[in-house]
Amino acid sequence: MSLPGAPSVRGAVGWTLAQHGAFFASAWLVSWWAGAGRFGEWSQALALATVLAALITLRMEYAGQLDARAPRAASLFAAARRLALGLGLGVAALGIGAALAGAVPWWAGAGALAVAPLALVQVRAAAHAREGRVAAAAAVRALPAICMVPLQAAACVLQAPDAIAWSLPVAAWASLCVMRVPRHGAPRLRRLLRARWPFLRTEWLGLALNTAANHGQVLAVGLVAGDAAAGVIALGMRVAMLPTSLVGLAWADGLRAQVVASGSRDQAQAVVTAALRRMAGVSLPMHLAGAMAAWWLLPWLFPAQGRELAAVVLLLLPLGAVRMVASPVAFLPAWRGWLGWSLLGQCLLFTAAFGAALAGARWGAEGVAMAYAAAAVCVYMGYIVCALRAVRADT
């Protein structure tokens, strides 16, 4: 059984492939031209912006994506946009001020300046996904990465390595300018927060832990092991999780839309079971092919990182295989109201990520990859079991 809107899902995969292709083009260009250190700075700026952009909306856009009532969903999306713009500009002012004062490196100021537009992009993508337009959601998410490539190429031609980190905020704001953002009446933010607080509180904390595990780990590795090691982990994670990123997010958007629209528990259970079988059948061959290609291709494509990058990817690929199956169904415990179980999973991933980052001080990027893969595989297997129990439970 396939997910509904298969052409839309295929379009989403195409846009996601373009997004990651743009990232790898940037990684190759920056590493080849400016070295592993500069690439590490840019990777940390991207990680910082991604973490903060995910948090400042307080998960209002996710609540809107899952809300069955269209008027309330529109109010939640409008509230998310207000938070994204207001708090994002505040973060930008703090980041630039701290950079000017010498309290943080300039790449941190560049990352702070990109928070507001990336958060607004995130809200727009969630609105598209709620409508079942997963290809449009993926296109919106891909725009900032695609815009970065010509900016970095221009920096290379002009021999301006300091401009590399600043390509991130410029690309983020430029992508927002070409995007149609709907306008709604300003909702009463306090009333919406009060009405949705139990869901938002738990989901926001869960997202904070998850985003910190995925992207904050790069910042932690940079702190304990240096910019070059942070760049290797950022690039290695992106390569190892590429199959999940290409199809997992599109499947998750489509699966959420179908489960929310299900008329009965049995129908929702059938949808989820079929999706799990399909994802497992695709995940294994994709990651086996990735393992065979990684050792030979990566040192040639990214000589600045060399065999260390290939080893990191090989250690992380088993985690990618399990994560590809688990990620699209990870919303089910929260959808069923099992907020505590959902939060527990995020806490475990956070602990695994930052515990593994500490290994970087002694064993470098390879130690981080080995420790994180071993712990996170167990957590994601638990996610699959919990999701199956949640969809089978009575409401």
Side-chain angles (χ1 to χ4, degrees):
M1 181 177 178
S2 62
L3 291 173
S8 185
V9 171
R10 286 194 293 271
V13 171
W15 276 109
T16 307
L17 181 60
Q19 177 184 358
H20 287 275
F23 172 85
F24 290 127
S26 292
W28 175 82
L29 178 62
V30 173
S31 298
W32 168 76
W33 166 50
R38 288 285 189 180
F39 173 71
E41 292 177 358
W42 174 71
S43 298
Q44 291 175 89
L46 181 60
L48 176 66
T50 302
V51 170
L52 295 178
L55 298 183
I56 62 172
T57 63
L58 301 182
R59 292 298 261 166
M60 285 284 198
E61 81 287 354
Y62 187 56
Q65 187 177 348
L66 295 182
D67 203 300
R69 288 185 280 183
R72 189 164 63 183
S75 295
L76 288 165
F77 287 133
R81 284 192 293 273
R82 289 177 61 194
L83 287 168
L85 187 59
L87 295 181
L89 292 178
V91 168
L94 287 174
I96 296 298
L100 287 170
V104 298
W106 274 106
W107 61 255
L113 192 58
V115 169
L118 290 180
L120 289 167
V121 165
Q122 167 186 296
V123 175
R124 188 64 185 137
H128 282 311
R130 185 188 185 279
E131 300 166 356
R133 301 174 61 201
V134 295
V140 166
R141 294 185 186 108
L143 277 176
I146 294 171
C147 290
M148 260 190 291
V149 178
L151 293 172
Q152 290 170 343
C156 177
V157 170
L158 297 173
Q159 291 297 300
D162 291 338
I164 292 171
W166 296 100
S167 66
L168 172 61
V170 173
W173 283 106
S175 64
L176 191 66
C177 290
V178 301
M179 193 185 307
R180 187 182 67 86
V181 178
R183 299 184 180 276
H184 299 284
R188 294 184 179 178
L189 185 58
R190 185 178 300 177
R191 184 179 63 189
L192 282 173
L193 283 171
R194 185 166 55 245
R196 305 290 291 173
W197 182 243
F199 177 87
L200 295 173
R201 176 190 59 201
T202 305
E203 280 299 308
W204 184 88
L205 182 55
L207 178 71
L209 293 168
N210 181 265
T211 308
N214 291 335
H215 301 283
Q217 184 187 52
V218 175
L219 300 172
V221 171
L223 184 64
V224 302
D227 292 339
V232 171
I233 285 296
L235 185 54
M237 285 288 292
R238 187 69 69 116
V239 173
M241 304 303 153
L242 181 60
T244 301
S245 300
L246 288 179
V247 298
L249 188 57
W251 281 353
D253 286 339
L255 187 59
R256 272 195 294 265
Q258 190 176 10
V259 168
V260 170
S262 296
S264 66
R265 182 190 63 181
D266 290 341
Q267 184 181 358
Q269 182 178 336
V271 168
V272 171
T273 302
L276 281 172
R277 289 173 180 167
R278 181 181 180 185
M279 289 182 288
V282 171
S283 179
L284 183 59
M286 288 184 75
H287 287 87
L288 285 175
M292 289 186 288
W295 187 255
W296 300 104
L297 288 178
L298 291 178
W300 176 66
L301 288 173
F302 300 100
Q305 289 81 11
R307 288 288 179 187
E308 184 182 26
L309 174 61
V312 165
V313 171
L314 289 176
L315 290 168
L316 289 171
L317 278 172
L319 170 60
V322 176
R323 186 178 176 181
M324 182 173 174
V325 180
S327 293
V329 299
F331 76 96
L332 285 168
W335 170 72
R336 199 54 109 180
W338 296 8
L339 300 180
W341 284 104
S342 179
L343 187 58
L344 174 62
Q346 305 294 358
C347 287
L348 292 173
L349 285 175
F350 176 85
T351 303
F354 279 82
L358 295 178
R362 183 169 182 179
W363 294 292
E366 293 179 39
V368 176
M370 183 183 299
Y372 183 52
V377 161
C378 299
V379 178
Y380 278 111
M381 292 296 293
Y383 261 113
I384 295 172
V385 173
C386 188
L388 285 172
R389 291 186 63 188
V391 78
R392 291 169 183 162
D394 290 322
T395 54

